[in-house]
């Protein structure tokens, strides 16, 4: 084991330098040419294993650096990382208490805390939940719970000629489509409801879509709203959608994979007001809370709903009727063997406390405001969507350019050029037909100076690319 520990020490101390470019991977074809990942009949020596690990880290984007703004996480949550290592050491699994006693208690405590933040425990209710392999799976289970609620016999008999219809906004994450596919709902029966100018689901359009389904004799069964949309960070109105859901007896699920942590903050939890009115809730700890992937949960207001919906089999050999049976989380899950994701989340929550996460949200929201002000003060940058959360979608738009397609190409080129030059690493995204630069502020080590340099670099890169283009056109 000492050999492995020595390599880990070298990896941490030497192979993840702070001064390296945030991205340094060549194209896939080039990497295939220069890196030998072939497996063979004979075992390899320690030296070649070490080389492979070094290359692995070298070519991976440095997500731990503060100029990594591409995804919905950035930086390093050290207690969580330690928890992840210890989880691998234990190799605990989460179907029964016997093979994961401490992670089971930790998962139950996390679920209590998460439910308290969402408000599902109001009025003495005893909500439940189970950790899952990411927000997509949490949304899948949310839709599955809704299907079970509307048609309990669907689990055993299948659709039986019924057409079930689900509703999300046109800004929702694509996991809704995956869920409709996996659950046999059919992706054509997932309605993308129009969003308004702020990127929030339009309640009038939602009502209209439900009426249209009912007129066709279909069964509306699921409304999935989003707290923190992927591209612009918009928060759908829980109160408005809950009114419609209740009126028709439809299950209301909140996808809080990205935005849920605003609930930690006194100042910003208003963004998710009335979250307790939903029936289920998805929360990713591997996004804003920056716990190593994967760490997520599906929270459910109605006790017993998960087991009723997800259970099936395993009683003959696994789920013994012993004194710990109530602590076996396996029957609430669609997995059998399941990694003990609770420790890494629990350890970082223990280390930071609710206040630590609240401070992170407050700091990042303040940084976002600074960033938006800088963009609005600039003559050649413009915001493409309101920034309620820490997604800043903007574009370089010099006065002389009016063609939307040229603006799209230019902004995509800016992102690629900055990445090829070693950073910062941002991405481009499309919102309501216009393309811009999506800057995610998920790392509270980013300074205001860094931000203003990043924006200046976008402008400078844009200017240079336009000049290059002009020279080519003019020969
Ligand atoms: C709003 C939203 N929901 C769900 C997901 C899916 O989460 P995961 O990648 O954990 O499956 C994402 C991912 O970006 C997201 O932004």
């Amino acid at each position: 084991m000492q050999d492995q520990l020595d390599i880990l020490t070298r990896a941490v101390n030497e192979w993840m330098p702070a001064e390296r470019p945030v991205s340094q991977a060549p194209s896939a074809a080039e990497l295939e040419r220069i890196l030998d990942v072939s497996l063979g009949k004979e075992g390899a020596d320690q030296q070649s294993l070490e080389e492979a690990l070094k290359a692995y880290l070298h070519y991976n984007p440095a997500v731990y650096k503060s100029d990594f703004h591409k995804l919905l996480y950035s930086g390093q949550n050290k207690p969580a990382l330690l928890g992840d290592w210890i989880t691998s050491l234990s190799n605990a699994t989460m179907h029964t208490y016997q093979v994961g006693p401490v992670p089971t208690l930790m998962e139950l405590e996390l679920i209590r805390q998460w439910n308290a933040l969402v408000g599902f425990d109001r009025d003495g209710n005893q909500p439940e939940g189970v950790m899952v392999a990411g927000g997509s799976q949490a949304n899948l289970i949310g839709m599955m719970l809704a299907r079970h609620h509307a048609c309990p016999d669907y689990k055993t008999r299948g659709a039986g000629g019924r057409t079930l219809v689900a509703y999300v906004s046109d800004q929702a994450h694509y996991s809704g489509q995956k869920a409709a596919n996996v659950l046999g709902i059919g992706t054509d029966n997932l309605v993308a409801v129009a969003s308004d100018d702020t990127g929030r689901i339009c309640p009038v359009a939602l009502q209209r879509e439900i009426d249209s389904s009912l007129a066709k004799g279909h069964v509306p069964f699921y409304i999935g709203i989003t707290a923190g949309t992927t591209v612009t960070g918009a928060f759908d109105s829980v109160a408005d959608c809950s009114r419609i859901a209740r009126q028709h007896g439809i299950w209301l699920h909140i996808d809080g994979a990205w935005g849920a942590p605003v609930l930690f903050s006194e100042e910003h939890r208003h963004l998710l007001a009335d979250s307790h009115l939903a029936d289920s809730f998805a929360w990713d700890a591997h996004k804003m809370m920056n716990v190593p992937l994967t760490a997520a949960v599906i929270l459910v207001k109605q006790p017993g709903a998960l087991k009723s919906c997800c259970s099936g089999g395993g009683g003959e050999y696994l789920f013994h009727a012993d004194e710990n049976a109530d602590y076996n989380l396996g029957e609430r899950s669609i997995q059998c063997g399941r990694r003990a994701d609770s420790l890494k989340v629990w350890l970082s929550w223990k280390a930071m406390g609710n206040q630590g996460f609240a401070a992170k949200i407050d700091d990042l929201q303040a940084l976002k405001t600074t960033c938006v002000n800088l963009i609005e003060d600039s003559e050649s940058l413009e915001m493409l969507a309101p920034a309620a959360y820490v997604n800043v979608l903007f574009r370089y738009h010099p006065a002389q350019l009016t063609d939307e397609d040229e603006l799209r190409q230019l902004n995509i080129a800016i992102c690629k050029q900055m990445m090829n030059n070693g950073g910062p690493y941002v991405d481009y995204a499309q919102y309501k037909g216009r393309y811009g630069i999506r800057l995610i502020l998920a790392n509270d080590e980013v300074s205001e100076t860094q931000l203003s340099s990043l924006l200046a670099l976008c402008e400078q890169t844009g200017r240079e690319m336009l000049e290059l283009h002009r020279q080519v056109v003019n020969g």
Side-chain angles (χ1 to χ4, degrees):
M1 181 66 89
Q2 193 52 48
D3 286 348
Q4 283 73 26
L5 286 176
D6 288 345
I7 292 179
L8 188 58
T9 307
R10 271 203 296 290
V12 171
N13 292 338
E14 298 166 27
W15 303 344
M16 301 173 74
E19 63 278 8
R20 62 159 272 187
V22 62
S23 167
Q24 53 194 14
S27 69
E30 175 67 1
L31 192 56
E32 275 192 320
R33 201 181 59 74
I34 57 182
L35 192 69
D36 181 9
V37 292
S38 62
L39 297 169
K41 276 190 185 155
E42 286 175 20
D45 59 16
Q46 179 84 2
Q47 178 66 21
S48 45
L49 298 185
E50 195 169 326
E51 287 304 319
L53 292 173
K54 202 170 169 179
Y56 178 101
L57 285 175
H58 177 83
Y59 291 116
N60 210 61
V63 299
Y64 56 88
K65 288 190 59 178
S66 60
D67 54 353
F68 181 78
H69 300 281
K70 176 181 162 65
L71 298 180
L72 306 181
Y73 59 89
S74 169
Q76 225 170 35
N77 177 337
K78 292 194 176 64
L81 189 56
L82 177 62
D84 204 44
W85 291 337
I86 300 286
T87 303
S88 291
L89 263 186
S90 74
N91 208 16
T93 182
M94 296 304 295
H95 41 50
T96 55
Y97 170 84
Q98 287 168 335
V99 280
V102 180
T104 296
L105 297 189
M106 287 176 167
E107 180 163 332
L108 289 168
E109 170 62 2
L110 286 168
I111 288 165
R112 264 191 298 276
Q113 294 292 336
W114 271 316
N115 271 316
L117 287 166
V118 172
F120 279 174
D121 63 350
R122 287 196 187 179
D123 307 322
N125 186 45
Q126 296 201 324
E128 58 177 22
V130 69
M131 292 189 75
V132 291
S136 299
Q137 198 187 102
N139 291 338
L140 170 81
I141 309 282
M143 194 181 283
M144 191 172 163
L145 286 159
R147 191 190 70 180
H148 192 63
H149 173 74
C151 308
D153 64 342
Y154 207 112
K155 178 175 174 178
T156 47
R157 298 162 64 100
R162 292 164 290 198
T163 300
L164 270 60
V165 186
Y167 310 83
V168 294
S169 96
D170 59 13
Q171 297 301 311
H173 186 257
Y174 69 87
S175 48
Q177 292 171 48
K178 300 265 184 196
N181 177 4
V182 174
L183 295 172
I185 302 300
T187 51
D188 287 351
N189 296 316
L190 178 78
V191 178
V193 179
S195 56
D196 64 18
D197 290 347
T198 65
R200 289 149 51 107
I201 192 168
C202 176
V204 175
L206 174 62
Q207 180 66 65
R208 206 172 34 235
E209 296 288 2
I210 292 171
D211 290 344
S212 156
S213 304
L214 288 170
K216 290 182 213 152
H218 295 168
V219 184
F221 78 107
Y222 172 87
I223 298 173
I225 59 175
T226 310
T229 55
T230 312
V231 174
T232 69
F235 285 72
D236 292 332
S237 162
V238 182
D240 289 346
C241 298
S242 146
R243 215 169 294 122
I244 296 171
R246 238 177 301 148
Q247 187 189 335
H248 296 281
I250 304 174
W251 187 273
L252 181 65
H253 172 79
I254 301 180
D255 174 2
W258 170 223
V262 297
L263 291 170
F264 283 112
S265 160
E266 286 297 319
E267 197 183 335
H268 298 288
R269 59 174 308 145
H270 67 89
L271 288 167
L272 234 172
D274 305 307
S275 52
H276 65 284
L277 296 174
D279 296 295
S280 55
F281 193 105
W283 186 317
D284 267 9
H286 63 226
K287 289 192 165 67
M288 178 54 86
M289 292 168 80
N290 204 22
V291 170
L293 282 98
T294 57
V297 71
I298 172 78
L299 303 168
V300 190
K301 191 164 22 184
Q302 188 189 324
L306 275 169
K307 183 171 172 184
S308 167
C309 174
C310 299
S311 65
E316 60 289 345
Y317 81 102
L318 186 65
F319 300 116
H320 302 307
D322 58 24
E323 78 276 19
N324 301 316
D326 286 348
Y327 289 79
N328 294 341
L329 298 179
E331 287 181 287
R332 298 182 189 182
S333 171
I334 57 167
Q335 294 172 250
C336 177
R338 178 164 66 89
R339 197 165 193 270
D341 293 326
S342 57
L343 172 62
K344 57 192 174 183
V345 186
W346 185 93
L347 208 65
S348 71
W349 200 326
K350 187 78 177 166
M352 293 173 69
N354 290 33
Q355 286 174 351
F357 289 114
K360 178 171 181 180
I361 292 289
D362 293 348
D363 290 351
L364 288 173
Q365 284 282 44
L367 199 63
K368 179 273 308 279
T369 304
T370 307
C371 184
V372 172
N373 289 341
L374 287 169
I375 291 168
E376 285 176 344
D377 289 346
S378 149
E379 290 199 346
S380 55
L381 299 178
E382 70 176 343
M383 292 291 295
L384 289 187
Y389 195 34
V390 293
N391 307 42
V392 181
L393 186 70
F394 68 102
R395 68 179 175 182
Y396 176 62
H397 186 178
Q400 73 269 26
L401 261 196
T402 50
D403 183 79
E404 276 300 324
D405 197 50
E406 283 178 28
L407 282 165
R408 176 183 67 83
Q409 287 180 38
L410 177 61
N411 279 277
I412 293 175
I414 292 172
C415 292
K416 289 187 176 163
Q417 182 70 17
M418 292 200 308
M419 189 188 81
N420 291 338
N421 288 347
Y425 200 167
V426 289
D427 207 352
Y428 58 87
Q430 186 259 114
Y431 174 67
K432 301 206 181 248
R434 297 194 298 176
Y435 277 77
I437 299 171
R438 189 187 72 159
L439 168 66
I440 298 292
L441 294 170
N443 186 331
D444 53 0
E445 287 178 6
V446 176
S447 67
E448 288 187 12
T449 320
Q450 232 176 319
L451 259 189
S452 98
S453 313
L454 186 159
L455 297 175
L457 188 62
C458 289
E459 289 178 293
Q460 185 194 325
T461 311
R463 268 194 308 274
E464 286 169 4
M465 302 201 92
L466 274 183
E467 176 56 24
L468 211 62
H469 182 69
R470 198 184 57 76
Q471 284 172 10
V472 171
V473 169
N474 294 339

